[in-house]
Amino acid sequence: MDSKLTSTAYEECVAATASIVNPAVEQWCEGGGRVVGYFCSHVPTEVISAAGLMPFRMRGTGSDGTELSDAFFSSINCSFPRHTFNLALQGGYDFLDGLVCISSCDHVRRVYDNWKRNLQTPFLTIMSLPRKVEDAQVGWYHEEISILREALGKHFDVDISDEKLWDAIKLHNRTRRLQREIYQLRKGRTPVSGAETLAIMVAATAMPRSRYNTLLEEILVELRQREPRNGYRARLMVVGGELDDPSWIETIEEQGGLVVADSICFGSREMWADIDESLEDPVEAMAKYYIQDHPSCPRMYGDQPRRREYLMNMVREFDVDGVIGERLMFCDQWCVEHYMNKADFKEEGIPFLQLDREYISSGKGQLRTRIQAFLETMGK
Amino acid sequence: MDKNAIKERSLERYKAERDWFAFLLEASDLMVGPEMQLQSKLLKILVESKQKVVDCVENDDPFIAAYFCNAPELFNAMDLPWFMLMETPFLGASAPYLIDDIQGAEEIGIGTDLCTAIRLPIYYIESGLMPVPTAVIGLLSPCDGAPMLHQVLRHNKAWRNIPIYAADPPYSSDDRAIKYYARELRSMVDFLEEHTERKLDMDRLKSVCEESNRTYSLWQEYNELRRAKPSPHGWEIGGPQAFAISQCFIAGSPKCTQWFEQLLECGEIRVREGRGANDNHEEKIRLLWFDIMPYGWIFEFMPWLEEEWGAVIVMDMFANFPYTLVDTSTEESMFYSLAKRNLIDSPMIRQARGTAENFSADISRMVKDYHIDCVIWPGHMGHKDGAATAGIMRDTCRDLGVPFLHIGLDLFDKRYTTVDEVKSKVSQFFTAMDLG
Ligand code: SF4
Ligand code: SF4
């Protein structure tokens, strides 16, 4: 039996991932710190950090129902925004001083409209994310980031200078580098499970960034001394969108499928590239990163060939035996993306399994059965 | 398969649709009355447009795939025949093979919770049942499904080398957004000039835009008539048909304007004579159907509304918007106006592309202007952003004091919620609200 990570640094990450108002957030708020929530990996969180605010990625962790949000959303909406908005209606996000929404998908973009009409968060805005990844779109997003910078600065009465933006970019790039180091360790005989990795990754979005970087350094020391994982049947990669629940990965791993790589919103796509620190204009650097350099998701049209290449490289680099495509029910973007992924993996002879799920998973029985069957079809 | 067999297969559905409309045309020719003449004219235009694409494929002439909200006046000015990739779900939806094709989409593994209007073209592309054009103008709004459809198109081996351009629709709707979109439309023209050997002549564009302005002015005049009680027309004429003709088939042509002149004339006569939409059934409920029509089962449902309940669709999502008239004074003003019209005025794009403001603003405006008794949001399974706006629409209607019904159905696939179930929900609603 493989041992669990035990350091207090790891435990702090687990606590941050397992709840919304975690100890790190509480401490930050008690010290007078202010928090700005955000949806989606395309929000330039560096601007929030540069304003001296703590960026907090919106989740529905711990939600036990959607009774309140059902008055606004419908049964054909993704359960992620429904649970998250329900939590907010229950007061679970009252600690936010602001919220940055974005036009990321048909479900999440409507959180803004419903939030605006029903909740009193002092600062609320929505960013217009382009659909394409060309230079004209970098230009558009440059303006969007500038608008956000100005609005945040004005509302919170802070001067978000270029210098502060560069400091924040460096801070966030440091996170990315440290996280990549963890992923490097997973390439061979990995000392860390997929579930542990996800807990560490989610924590980045739920605590002050400098604190998180310190924790990451400690975790890396622990991982380097740790024995590699044993006794698994296959090395798997998970591909998909909004997956922030380590217990879902844990269920897969309990069946013997060790998750060694991913392309998910809280995973490698968050940190595979850095924001270019050599450019002169920090806004330009962020616009370029969030539109072009950052590995894209199906939200960005025209970039599927690059996404395919990214996945195939991951499979090779991480010595992956099989791929799981996860999707939240009613998500059109991942529905069609996985339809293409399935064909692409088939062409490369790589086993692929698509799993539709609810954001808050009830009962892992079916997941176990599907994974067992998948491992068996792979001859593992 | 050899080249000719591939071509033949790609036209299979297209020809079937052409023949379906030709059949309807024959039937409508036998019926009398000015409205029927309008229907016949529309059907004739449909048949001609289908035939044109068939001819282009067979003769290797340039033609493109595009959308109504891509500023079709530009295609007209460039003399480029075009068809809509999503045409079948909207036009041929009552054709007999629809359910088989939805099943076909399921069999190739496309998720069933994806909009049927997206699933079908994906199926046609993947199975070689879609005419392959010279170039494609894609669509990246109003929903997540539309860009994914075009991503599949680029992924498909037979389509991979077909040049494609898609204008990027910003999420905001201010002056900055319109200017950005105007630049995107200009890039679209550059792309078309490069790939179709057709040039855009600004004088020609000016005259097409002037013609389309005439059309839109007539349309607005006609819509005034629908305020009358009883409304001169219902679901059968003047709503989606006016949209189809002005934006999908002959945008900016004199023939289009003539059709609207005749529509206006028909409406005026009816209003003068105090005649409602259905000569045999009195108007009892004035309905706003706030979405696309249920094309997959329209003939099983819409007449029933009038016959059983005297419920007349006085207005619908496609029938009335403050369409921007194109300012033809300069090249820049033309592109700016076209960008505004296509980004902000086009139905469905208008509501679903950006923030939810237009859902409530349009409902409020139409309810007041057209003396609406109740609003039905059908709740099409593809309209995920609309589904997340249901609460906002309900609140808007409550503030207006007008009953609101959200059904939950598939506008194209009648197995999702059967026509009987829809009828029963609507009947219960009318009864509970004491309407009719
Ligand atoms: S999973 Fe899909 S539908 Fe759900 S929030 Fe993400 S992109 Fe939107
Ligand atoms: S019918 Fe709705 S969901 Fe379907 S393609 Fe159109 S806008 Fe998108």
Side-chain angles (χ1 to χ4, degrees):
Chain A
M1 183 73 188
D2 293 311
S3 63
K4 296 228 180 243
L5 278 172
T6 54
S7 65
T8 51
Y10 175 69
E11 288 305 328
E12 211 176 302
C13 286
V14 170
T17 298
S19 59
I20 300 295
V21 187
N22 63 69
V25 171
E26 269 171 356
Q27 217 182 336
W28 171 264
C29 292
E30 274 160 20
R34 291 176 292 186
V35 185
V36 171
Y38 68 96
F39 279 97
C40 176
S41 314
H42 290 92
V43 172
T45 45
E46 291 77 7
V47 183
I48 302 174
S49 292
L53 310 161
M54 178 186 143
F56 185 98
R57 183 158 177 157
M58 302 300 285
R59 288 182 280 122
T61 308
S63 164
D64 54 8
T66 56
E67 288 77 11
L68 297 176
S69 63
D70 286 348
F72 305 96
F73 288 79
S74 308
S75 55
I76 57 165
N77 285 125
C78 169
S79 49
F80 159 61
R82 289 168 65 199
H83 278 287
T84 306
F85 192 59
N86 202 74
L87 266 189
L89 290 171
Q90 286 171 336
Y93 274 111
D94 285 356
F95 69 94
L96 292 184
D97 297 286
L99 175 64
V100 180
C101 298
I102 189 160
S103 56
S104 56
C105 77
D106 289 343
H107 310 255
V108 162
R109 63 193 173 100
R110 286 283 174 257
V111 171
Y112 166 80
D113 300 282
N114 287 306
W115 197 289
K116 191 171 147 191
R117 287 164 173 81
N118 296 285
L119 290 153
Q120 272 76 47
T121 307
F123 177 84
L124 178 67
T125 191
I126 184 160
M127 296 188 76
S128 166
L129 177 67
R131 285 273 180 193
K132 297 193 292 191
V133 295
E134 288 153 28
D135 291 348
Q137 285 67 52
V138 173
W140 171 265
Y141 214 50
H142 187 292
E143 291 171 12
E144 285 293 304
I145 297 173
S146 303
I147 292 168
L148 175 71
R149 172 190 192 174
E150 204 186 313
L152 274 176
K154 199 166 163 205
H155 178 89
F156 291 98
D157 196 21
V158 279
D159 169 35
I160 309 176
S161 61
D162 276 7
E163 204 186 334
K164 283 183 185 164
L165 281 175
W166 279 124
D167 286 346
I169 288 170
K170 284 175 188 152
L171 181 71
H172 286 235
N173 270 350
R174 168 133 194 86
T175 303
R176 295 183 179 104
R177 278 180 217 124
L178 291 167
Q179 288 174 334
R180 282 203 300 274
E181 278 186 46
I182 295 186
Y183 274 58
Q184 287 302 328
L185 297 174
R186 303 168 81 197
K187 284 189 175 170
R189 300 183 58 222
T190 171
V192 62
S193 73
E196 288 165 338
T197 308
L198 185 58
I200 296 167
M201 294 299 293
V202 174
T205 67
M207 63 170 67
R209 202 40 81 100
S210 44
R211 171 80 196 139
Y212 177 73
N213 285 353
T214 311
L215 297 181
L216 269 188
E217 279 163 16
E218 288 173 35
I219 290 170
L220 270 164
V221 172
E222 187 185 3
L223 286 179
R224 287 199 184 101
Q225 291 162 0
R226 201 183 189 204
E227 286 295 309
R229 315 285 299 176
N230 284 312
Y232 54 85
R233 293 162 65 187
R235 293 170 66 86
L236 302 178
M237 171 161 84
V238 175
V239 180
E242 181 73 38
L243 170 62
D244 57 33
D245 176 8
S247 79
W248 193 79
I249 303 268
E250 204 169 70
T251 308
I252 295 173
E253 297 190 317
E254 281 163 4
Q255 309 316 305
L258 184 66
V259 174
V260 295
D262 67 68
S263 171
I264 57 175
C265 301
F266 283 91
S268 71
R269 287 204 304 271
E270 270 294 277
M271 47 66 168
W272 217 241
D274 283 342
I275 299 183
D276 188 348
E277 293 177 23
S278 71
L279 295 180
E280 216 167 279
D281 170 12
V283 178
E284 173 71 23
M286 283 185 281
K288 223 177 141 306
Y289 171 79
Y290 283 103
I291 299 302
Q292 288 181 333
D293 301 344
H294 180 262
S296 75
C297 74
R299 168 62 175 69
M300 306 312 267
Y301 162 80
D303 210 26
Q304 196 271 343
R306 201 165 64 116
R307 293 198 286 274
R308 176 196 157 117
E309 206 184 301
Y310 180 71
L311 295 182
M312 298 309 163
N313 284 342
M314 280 261 161
V315 166
R316 273 189 294 275
E317 281 179 40
F318 287 83
D319 195 15
V320 166
D321 299 311
V323 179
I324 293 175
E326 66 87 22
R327 177 188 85 124
L328 286 171
M329 304 267 289
F330 306 113
C331 175
D332 293 343
Q333 303 189 140
W334 282 103
C335 171
V336 183
E337 185 79 355
H338 283 326
Y339 169 77
M340 291 182 281
N341 283 339
K342 191 176 169 191
D344 290 346
F345 283 122
K346 193 172 170 198
E347 219 172 82
E348 301 289 329
I350 298 157
F352 177 78
L353 170 71
Q354 189 185 322
L355 292 173
D356 283 359
R357 60 183 192 95
E358 289 289 347
Y359 178 70
I360 302 284
S361 9
S362 57
K364 302 269 167 68
Q366 209 201 353
L367 175 58
R368 279 187 204 107
T369 318
R370 299 280 313 268
I371 297 296
Q372 276 167 12
F374 183 53
L375 294 173
E376 269 154 37
T377 56
M378 285 163 57
K380 298 286 179 181
Chain B
M1 252 200 272
D2 75 357
K3 210 176 153 215
N4 282 337
I6 292 172
K7 267 190 190 176
E8 208 35 56
R9 181 166 166 78
S10 79
L11 286 173
E12 223 174 82
R13 285 291 180 276
Y14 220 72
K15 285 182 174 169
E17 280 161 28
R18 176 199 60 191
D19 297 344
W20 166 248
F21 290 121
F23 164 75
L24 293 179
L25 176 62
E26 257 175 54
S28 76
D29 272 346
L30 299 176
M31 290 186 243
V32 284
E35 277 80 12
M36 265 307 147
Q37 277 179 18
L38 277 171
Q39 290 284 20
S40 295
K41 281 194 176 162
L42 171 63
L43 287 164
K44 203 155 169 269
I45 289 164
L46 286 178
V47 174
E48 280 167 8
S49 92
K50 296 267 165 192
Q51 186 57 45
K52 195 154 201 178
V53 169
V54 171
D55 292 344
C56 285
V57 173
E58 286 177 346
N59 305 328
D60 290 323
D61 288 339
F63 73 109
I64 59 166
Y67 292 90
F68 62 89
C69 45
N70 292 144
E73 286 80 3
L74 290 167
F75 312 143
N76 181 343
M78 294 177 85
D79 200 17
L80 260 176
W82 68 282
F83 77 108
M84 222 171 46
L85 277 168
M86 273 189 224
E87 218 161 84
T88 297
F90 295 95
L91 291 177
S94 303
Y97 43 77
L98 186 76
I99 299 288
D100 288 346
D101 289 351
I102 297 173
Q103 208 103 31
E106 235 169 90
E107 277 155 26
I108 63 167
I110 307 163
T112 52
D113 55 39
L114 180 68
C115 176
T116 308
I118 300 287
R119 270 189 289 161
L120 279 167
I122 290 183
Y123 167 68
Y124 293 139
I125 288 163
E126 295 280 81
S127 335
L129 286 164
M130 177 87 80
V132 183
T134 317
V136 177
I137 300 299
L139 177 67
L140 304 184
S141 71
C143 58
D144 293 338
M148 294 315 293
L149 158 64
H150 298 93
Q151 194 68 72
V152 170
L153 187 151
R154 295 177 72 160
H155 185 260
N156 180 284
K157 291 205 168 81
W159 288 67
R160 207 164 273 177
N161 296 323
I162 304 296
I164 177 165
Y165 176 86
D168 177 42
Y171 197 63
S172 42
S173 305
D174 54 7
D175 183 59
R176 180 173 72 101
I178 297 167
K179 284 185 177 142
Y180 170 79
Y181 200 59
R183 289 196 294 275
E184 288 287 293
L185 288 183
R186 277 178 182 272
S187 305
M188 178 181 93
V189 171
D190 294 344
F191 165 88
L192 287 172
E193 289 188 339
E194 186 186 336
H195 294 285
T196 66
E197 296 165 11
R198 300 281 159 92
K199 291 275 167 262
L200 177 64
D201 176 277
M202 287 304 156
D203 291 334
R204 169 94 176 109
L205 178 62
K206 188 172 189 254
S207 83
V208 170
C209 288
E210 279 163 358
E211 193 62 53
S212 105
N213 283 350
R214 279 191 278 280
T215 300
Y216 283 104
S217 305
L218 287 168
W219 194 357
Q220 286 192 0
E221 219 179 302
Y222 166 76
N223 272 331
E224 293 293 310
L225 293 176
R226 290 182 81 121
R227 294 180 186 219
K229 276 187 172 182
S231 169
H233 294 135
W235 67 278
E236 258 179 311
I237 203 77
Q241 306 79 3
F243 157 77
I245 206 160
S246 65
Q247 289 181 32
C248 301
F249 295 104
I250 47 172
S253 80
K255 211 171 170 183
C256 182
T257 309
Q258 282 153 21
W259 191 87
F260 275 87
E261 277 164 1
Q262 203 175 335
L263 174 71
L264 185 65
E265 226 169 84
C266 288
E268 276 167 351
I269 294 171
R270 280 191 173 264
V271 172
R272 214 178 305 128
E273 294 173 355
R275 282 162 66 201
N278 189 317
D279 286 329
N280 303 317
H281 298 275
E282 189 196 337
E283 175 186 289
K284 292 183 187 149
I285 304 170
R286 293 172 68 84
L287 200 71
L288 168 58
W289 179 269
F290 201 55
D291 207 330
I292 306 167
M293 293 285 167
Y295 285 110
W297 35 280
I298 192 164
F299 298 118
E300 291 166 71
F301 180 67
M302 288 294 165
W304 173 86
L305 271 180
E306 288 180 2
E307 287 157 17
E308 189 75 16
W309 286 96
V312 173
I313 302 215
V314 174
M315 211 20 86
D316 70 89
M317 190 181 265
F318 279 65
N320 179 19
F321 293 104
Y323 287 112
T324 304
L325 295 184
V326 178
D327 174 354
T328 55
S329 50
T330 63
E331 189 179 320
E332 203 181 323
S333 70
M334 281 196 281
F335 273 93
Y336 184 89
S337 313
L338 285 171
K340 185 161 184 272
R341 186 193 278 175
N342 287 276
L343 185 70
I344 296 174
D345 304 340
S346 285
M348 202 154 69
I349 307 296
R350 170 179 175 81
Q351 293 82 18
R353 170 195 54 89
T355 54
E357 263 75 44
N358 282 337
F359 274 97
S360 42
D362 288 341
I363 288 178
S364 299
R365 184 171 52 81
M366 291 189 200
V367 164
K368 286 180 196 148
D369 286 357
Y370 294 94
H371 315 290
I372 295 295
D373 296 317
C374 64
V375 176
I376 295 185
W377 161 255
H380 171 53
M381 48 70 84
H383 289 166
K384 312 282 173 35
D385 72 293
T389 320
I392 292 174
M393 287 190 270
R394 192 176 300 112
D395 289 350
T396 305
C397 288
R398 199 192 43 225
D399 293 347
L400 291 164
V402 63
F404 172 80
L405 175 67
H406 172 186
I407 304 174
L409 45 75
D410 185 329
L411 293 164
F412 312 101
D413 185 351
K414 61 184 172 190
R415 298 166 307 173
Y416 186 98
T417 304
T418 65
V419 184
D420 283 343
E421 281 171 304
V422 175
K423 285 180 181 173
S424 138
K425 283 189 183 186
V426 170
S427 294
Q428 279 171 25
F429 168 69
F430 286 159
T431 308
M433 295 298 151
D434 209 11
L435 293 161

